[in-house]
Amino acid sequence: MGNTFTTYDINSKAVKSNICYCWKTCFPCCLYEHDVYETPISVKNEKLVERFSSDTLDAASDAVIRVISVDLYRGENHDEHHTDHFYAAKDALIVRRGEPFRIRLNFNRDYSPSRDAISFIFTVADDKKPNPGHGTLIGLVPRDGIDYLGDPLEWGAGIEAHEPNSLTLLIKPAATCPVTEWKMDIDTKLLGDGSKSFTLPVPMYVLFNPWCPDDQVYMTDRDQRKEYVMHDTTLIWRGSYNRLRPSVWKLGQFERHILECSIKLLGTVGRVPAAFRGDPVRVARALSAAVNSVDDDGVILGNWTEDFSGGIAPTKWIGSTEIIQQFYKTQKPVKFGQCWNFAGVLTTIARTLGIPSRIVTCYSSAHDTQASLTVDIFIDENNKKLDAETTDSIWNYHVWNEVWMTRPDLGVGQNGLSYDGWQAVDATPQEASDNMYRVGPAPVAAVKNGEILRPFDCGFVFSEVNADKVYWRYNGPFQPIKLLRKDTMAIGHFISTKAVLKWEREDITSTYKYAEKTEEERNITLKALKQSQHAFSRYYLNDTFNEVEFDMQMNDDIKVGESFTIVLCITNKSKEKAHTATGQLSCESAQYTGISNEMIKSIPFEVEIEPGATEFVRMQVVFEEYFKKLSTQATFNISCAALVKNTDYEYYAMDDFRVRKPDIKFSFQGDIVSRQPVDVIVRLTNPLPIPVRKGIFHIEGPGIDKPLRFKIAEIPVGGTAASTFKYTPPYAGRGTLLAKFSSKELDDVDGFMHYEIKPRPEDVIMNNNSSNTIIRRRTDVIP
């Protein structure tokens, strides 16, 4: 005869009975043969301890010890597991794998080890068929004592203290367990006479653990963990290689619904089976596809046009929070995004899940569509770029991510090369990888050493940072192409990320490639070309004539609203012979992806250069000529096409250029103190020779639940717009306010201010024996 299990609804009325014939002493295999209903919750706020009470059960089964409440020690557990900043921490238990967390079980009577048995059953919440073999169903019988909680790769539990009518236990999730939402059941049994079950009625989330040496994402450096896991605001570099521009980005990984959305995204859009959600390689690859919407209705819909009707322009976002919250609410792709938006959202989700992540910008980044490891640009007889034949492109900048993890799946490379550490992951949909638009994780070490066949997508990342740029003269489908010029140093400049615990740029170019003009760099490029089986041979070599040298020059620091001049310097290196150069200088408005929009100005020239002399060709572009054709990001393509008469030598070069926009300024009108309001003024000066009308300030920061928006009717020429608002910092520690300004005349303007928030006097305890001050609660301080 089996044991009878009675289950109850939330009003403590019996609704179903099931018979089980397979109860074992260790833990019941029948737990999934009957329904377990959520029990009512009684919350007692006492020293951050919360009690979850079970129903009053039938008197006939009172002999079986039963759990009447569970103390989750959420304040202590979240503090120890570095999860106390999560908004969801108010309503869930959030822990990291590989480290124990503490709970206390309160019973209806004293626990007796000789007659009572306790077991814990953990199941992945959204797994319809949890399985012990897949690691999605875990049964634990607690040990007596906590000196050893089992192998790091296994779940473990131990009894820490036995008090009247209660047990305090430590439970350790395996360092490799799935990162997801878990359900916890607590089963009690009277040996030989019945059993009962208690279901924890709040979510339990288990995250990756960069603090645990047994976790694949373990990061040894404390400051790096602060920066790449805990900090919720960062910098993204944009602009062009000759005008690097930092933009602030609110990651907001601890904000409302971000954790829930990130966890759900893995199983729904990411389609990662529950058993594989503990593998950071699999998770990172899935996220690189799930953040864009091309294949799977992911988080963001990309748009590289100038028409953003029906959505929000990519330049107007200043953080991930609004994007992810909107996706969580609607379950539809958010409109619209470009590369830095994709990278910002991916970093937010990675840090939410516990994977160290950072945002990386590469200037003059190649988009190699043919996997040739070269960027081939075809020019017609009129010196116009042939868009149909030129499928490759060079973006003024491209933004992707790096995530930190070991790569046990790759072993050890040549000469003991390790693939552990930073892995490049890119969510911007450019090219398909295994039939989905995603990139990575690609070991950065493999990219630097030209191992382009290593998974995943190392060849594509290698091209982004180290391809050769080649210009071809195209004279028709039945004519041979002619090599005009090859540039081995045009791709991959100033690869940048935010410095650790500093609001400045860190140059990480050397992690992706050897220095230009070095033997190592050329050898690695040839090694990569051989692996790709791409023939690095062309029809004509065009570098035998070297008597005339061309060089385009211009002032990099031009403010929007000002005129600028392009200068072509032509030098005749011959000591005996004069040469005549003819051609044209051109300036076009362009997108940051390198695609030209409209011609702004073009001038022809013909110059005779005496032996040993240098001549200059100048083209001035004034504000009235470029303003109405200016792209949102104020980017231009500057090009020069030229030939030297009476020779076969032809020259072609194209470069990108960007005018500088003003910065938004913040000022505080008083001390910045935790949970005390202070007036903040935000200002912007109009740099244009025309008025700016119908502008909007968009402001975010810690403690601002919903972004602030202030309308500005007009900023006259030379005038300054200002808005004042009340700001209440939510905690003591570091904070950052972010602002965007947009209008028809002046768009994509931003600014930020980093500041220290003082604790309130009542939150500080003075130690008479020390000059140090102690903050009463660590949860009030950003680490």
Side-chain angles (χ1 to χ4, degrees):
M1 185 68 179
N3 294 300
T4 300
F5 288 82
T6 303
T7 57
Y8 296 82
D9 67 9
I10 59 175
N11 296 313
S12 299
K13 295 179 181 179
V15 295
K16 180 186 288 187
S17 294
N18 286 329
I19 305 297
C20 171
Y21 297 95
C22 53
W23 179 263
K24 303 294 182 182
T25 301
C26 55
F27 65 95
C29 64
C30 63
L31 285 175
Y32 306 95
E33 301 298 324
H34 66 278
D35 297 331
V36 178
Y37 291 81
E38 182 173 302
T39 56
I41 305 174
S42 174
V43 180
K44 182 179 180 182
N45 294 317
E46 180 181 349
K47 296 183 180 179
L48 301 177
V49 175
E50 301 181 50
R51 294 177 175 270
F52 299 97
S53 301
S54 65
D55 298 323
T56 302
L57 299 179
D58 191 274
S61 59
D62 276 350
V64 179
I65 191 171
R66 59 184 175 86
V67 178
I68 61 172
S69 66
V70 178
D71 292 342
L72 291 180
Y73 292 97
R74 283 203 280 197
E76 176 184 322
N77 286 325
H78 291 163
D79 185 60
E80 292 296 326
H81 285 253
H82 310 280
T83 58
D84 51 339
H85 297 311
F86 280 104
Y87 186 93
K90 298 187 296 184
D91 303 307
L93 177 63
I94 309 171
V95 297
R96 298 188 187 274
R97 61 187 193 173
E99 294 289 345
F101 61 91
R102 178 176 285 104
I103 66 171
R104 185 172 66 199
L105 307 183
N106 300 305
F107 304 111
N108 63 323
R109 62 169 172 80
D110 196 20
Y111 168 78
S112 174
S114 62
R115 58 194 294 254
D116 300 316
I118 300 173
S119 60
F120 293 87
I121 309 299
F122 294 91
T123 53
V124 172
D126 66 342
D127 194 344
K128 295 180 179 178
K129 295 182 179 180
N131 188 307
H134 294 162
T136 57
L137 186 157
I138 305 296
L140 287 180
V141 176
R143 303 167 183 264
D144 187 11
I146 59 171
D147 291 339
Y148 179 67
L149 296 180
D151 187 275
L153 305 184
E154 298 177 349
W155 288 69
I159 299 174
E160 183 181 39
H162 180 187
E163 300 170 342
N165 289 29
S166 71
L167 286 180
T168 302
L169 305 100
L170 294 184
I171 299 174
K172 174 187 66 65
T176 55
C177 77
V179 169
T180 186
E181 179 185 347
W182 288 79
K183 175 184 173 184
M184 181 170 70
D185 292 306
I186 306 166
D187 294 309
T188 55
K189 182 185 181 219
L190 181 65
L191 297 180
D193 188 20
S195 63
K196 298 185 184 300
S197 181
F198 178 95
T199 299
L200 189 69
V202 296
M204 172 181 163
Y205 297 103
V206 180
L207 308 181
F208 289 103
N209 193 352
W211 288 264
C212 177
D214 300 303
D215 198 306
Q216 203 171 327
V217 302
Y218 174 59
M219 180 170 266
T220 58
D221 188 272
R222 179 175 178 268
D223 287 345
Q224 288 186 338
R225 290 197 300 263
K226 284 184 178 181
E227 180 67 50
Y228 301 133
V229 182
M230 299 302 294
H231 277 190
D232 69 347
T233 308
T234 190
L235 293 175
I236 302 176
W237 263 263
R238 295 165 57 203
S240 60
Y241 78 91
N242 48 23
R243 187 66 200 171
L244 278 60
R245 173 196 172 193
S247 298
V248 70
W249 186 264
K250 176 67 181 295
L251 295 168
Q253 68 266 37
F254 303 118
E255 302 296 336
R256 183 199 300 260
H257 295 151
I258 304 301
L259 174 62
E260 296 91 331
C261 186
S262 300
I263 291 289
K264 186 176 181 180
L265 194 71
L266 281 183
T268 54
V269 179
R271 298 196 290 270
V272 180
F276 296 100
R277 292 177 203 166
D279 179 1
V281 176
R282 186 87 171 245
V283 168
R285 187 154 176 78
L287 290 180
S288 73
V291 168
N292 69 69
S293 66
V294 175
D295 309 294
D296 44 24
D297 291 329
V299 180
I300 308 177
L301 177 64
N303 184 346
W304 282 268
T305 71
E306 290 291 315
D307 180 9
F308 303 113
S309 56
I312 295 177
T315 54
K316 288 180 170 56
W317 299 111
I318 60 174
S320 307
T321 308
E322 273 192 290
I323 296 173
I324 297 175
Q325 287 173 339
Q326 182 178 327
F327 177 79
Y328 184 69
K329 180 180 179 180
T330 65
Q331 295 300 300
K332 294 180 180 179
V334 177
K335 302 176 182 179
F336 295 102
Q338 293 180 0
C339 68
W340 71 94
N341 308 121
F342 290 110
V345 169
L346 198 153
T347 293
T348 296
I349 296 173
R351 291 189 187 182
T352 300
L353 298 176
I355 302 175
S357 177
R358 64 186 183 183
I359 297 173
V360 172
T361 300
C362 175
Y363 289 95
S364 299
S365 177
H367 178 185
D368 178 15
T369 61
Q370 300 173 345
S372 64
L373 305 187
T374 58
V375 176
D376 300 302
I377 299 172
F378 296 91
I379 309 299
D380 68 12
E381 59 185 4
N382 297 316
N383 298 318
K384 299 292 185 181
K385 187 174 73 171
L386 293 166
D387 291 332
E389 283 73 19
T390 305
T391 57
D392 295 343
S393 61
I394 300 174
W395 295 25
N396 290 7
Y397 64 90
H398 181 45
V399 185
W400 62 78
N401 299 86
E402 288 179 354
V403 290
W404 179 272
M405 65 187 68
T406 60
R407 291 297 300 270
D409 56 311
L410 298 184
V412 178
Q414 297 178 359
N415 302 317
L417 178 65
S418 172
Y419 302 109
D420 297 343
W422 290 115
Q423 317 285 317
V425 179
D426 193 347
T428 301
Q430 296 184 91
E431 297 294 322
S433 172
D434 296 334
N435 300 315
M436 292 189 73
Y437 279 84
R438 56 188 172 185
V439 171
V444 174
V447 173
K448 179 174 182 176
N449 287 279
E451 298 196 16
I452 64 171
L453 301 181
R454 293 288 179 182
F456 296 92
D457 309 309
C458 285
F460 185 82
V461 179
F462 181 91
S463 293
E464 287 184 303
V465 301
N466 209 20
D468 286 341
K469 184 178 182 181
V470 185
Y471 295 98
W472 301 95
R473 173 73 71 195
Y474 180 79
N475 294 309
F478 304 109
Q479 299 296 322
I481 60 175
K482 178 181 179 182
L483 176 64
L484 298 178
R485 179 169 171 255
K486 58 183 178 182
D487 190 343
T488 63
M489 297 186 294
I491 305 300
H493 299 303
F494 302 111
I495 303 178
S496 307
T497 191
K498 178 183 177 297
V500 175
L501 304 187
K502 297 178 181 178
W503 290 88
E504 58 188 48
R505 188 180 75 92
E506 178 183 350
D507 192 295
I508 57 172
T509 308
S510 62
T511 67
Y512 278 88
K513 57 196 292 189
Y514 290 94
E516 299 288 2
K517 296 184 179 180
T518 63
E519 183 178 353
E520 293 93 340
E521 191 274 334
R522 280 292 91 193
N523 289 340
I524 290 298
T525 299
L526 293 175
K527 171 185 174 182
L529 287 165
K530 291 176 181 178
Q531 290 181 79
S532 70
Q533 299 180 349
H534 175 69
F536 195 62
S537 58
R538 302 301 184 184
Y539 295 111
Y540 296 96
L541 292 178
N542 196 37
D543 52 7
T544 54
F545 179 85
N546 59 3
E547 290 186 359
V548 178
E549 188 176 80
F550 296 85
D551 183 29
M552 280 197 302
Q553 302 172 349
M554 66 184 309
N555 184 355
D556 293 336
D557 190 17
I558 304 296
K559 298 177 183 177
V560 63
E562 297 178 342
S563 301
F564 58 87
T565 301
I566 304 162
V567 178
L568 177 65
C569 175
I570 310 174
T571 301
N572 184 358
K573 296 189 291 184
S574 172
K575 301 299 183 182
E576 297 86 19
K577 186 177 180 181
H579 286 289
T580 300
T582 182
Q584 64 187 32
L585 276 176
S586 301
C587 175
E588 300 173 290
S589 66
Q591 300 177 29
Y592 82 98
T593 56
I595 299 175
S596 297
N597 286 344
E598 288 187 79
M599 178 64 70
I600 295 174
K601 192 171 187 178
S602 181
I603 63 168
F605 64 85
E606 182 169 324
V607 179
E608 182 175 352
I609 314 104
E610 295 297 326
T614 298
E615 297 291 339
F616 298 92
V617 179
R618 292 177 171 85
M619 181 176 73
Q620 185 182 48
V621 181
V622 300
F623 173 77
E624 289 74 17
E625 291 175 317
Y626 71 74
F627 173 63
K628 291 186 178 180
K629 299 178 180 180
L630 194 62
S631 64
T632 301
Q633 299 191 51
T635 302
F636 305 91
N637 279 341
I638 310 297
S639 63
C640 173
L643 59 83
V644 178
K645 285 187 174 182
N646 302 318
T647 73
D648 290 330
Y649 184 76
E650 293 185 68
Y651 171 83
Y652 188 89
M654 179 181 290
D655 205 350
D656 56 79
F657 167 70
R658 184 180 183 277
V659 290
R660 176 164 60 88
K661 294 187 178 181
D663 295 324
I664 298 171
K665 304 294 184 182
F666 287 95
S667 60
F668 286 90
Q669 306 302 296
D671 292 336
I672 311 169
V673 181
S674 171
R675 288 178 279 179
Q676 292 185 4
V678 61
D679 287 328
V680 182
I681 302 177
V682 56
R683 295 183 175 91
L684 175 66
T685 299
N686 178 13
L688 304 181
I690 59 175
V692 172
R693 297 184 173 91
K694 295 181 180 180
I696 296 179
F697 280 119
H698 179 122
I699 298 168
E700 285 193 20
I704 300 176
D705 188 49
K706 186 177 181 180
L708 305 175
R709 289 177 173 85
F710 303 105
K711 294 182 179 180
I712 303 296
E714 179 176 316
I715 313 177
V717 176
T720 298
S723 293
T724 303
F725 61 94
K726 290 283 186 184
Y727 171 59
T728 304
Y731 47 68
R734 292 190 290 181
T736 305
L737 284 176
L738 307 75
K740 275 273 187 183
F741 181 85
S742 59
S743 70
K744 182 178 180 181
E745 296 84 6
L746 187 63
D747 201 6
D748 192 25
V749 178
D750 53 20
F752 67 94
M753 183 175 185
H754 182 57
Y755 49 90
E756 290 293 328
I757 306 169
K758 301 176 183 178
R760 296 182 301 172
E762 57 266 37
D763 290 337
V764 179
I765 301 173
M766 299 301 297
N767 186 339
N768 294 330
N769 297 323
S770 171
S771 60
N772 295 330
T773 59
I774 303 172
I775 307 302
R776 180 169 288 151
R777 287 187 55 212
R778 279 183 56 194
T779 52
D780 286 338
V781 183
I782 289 285

